[in-house]
Amino acid sequence: MTAGTPWSVVYSDTGRAGLATATAEERAAILAFEARLAADPYTNGELYPDRVGGLYTALLTVGGRMAWTSVLYRVDEAAREVLVVALISGP
């Protein structure tokens, strides 16, 4: 792939379930975040220290305010793919 080519963004079963149960505002924020991930997954979250490695976490702004909506995602460099592992929402 050439530089500037968008990354593929896919959802795990858990990620799809989180998207399906998100509020309309959360869903809009998540889909906007997905577009940013496709452009550059490394600058949109913080590396999360897990045993496998490559897991990132990002706290989203929902409706113009910081919210308890986080995205956990894993970057697969070889496949040039970003896997949204989970979406976590709170009050």
Side-chain angles (χ1 to χ4, degrees):
M1 300 233 159
T2 60
T5 303
W7 288 70
S8 174
V9 179
V10 295
Y11 287 78
S12 69
D13 290 341
T14 306
R16 280 192 297 276
L19 188 60
T21 59
T23 67
E25 241 181 3
E26 288 172 326
R27 193 173 304 109
I30 292 163
L31 294 176
F33 182 72
E34 179 183 321
R36 294 196 313 267
L37 282 180
D40 185 358
Y42 295 108
T43 61
N44 289 290
E46 295 181 20
L47 191 57
Y48 185 81
D50 70 321
R51 291 180 299 190
V52 176
L55 186 66
Y56 289 78
T57 183
L59 185 63
L60 300 185
T61 300
V62 175
R65 64 191 187 294
M66 289 304 286
W68 288 104
T69 302
S70 297
V71 178
L72 292 175
Y73 63 97
R74 188 169 303 281
V75 176
D76 182 341
E77 186 73 38
R80 197 162 169 87
E81 181 177 274
V82 179
L83 174 66
V84 175
V85 178
L87 302 168
I88 300 106
S89 294

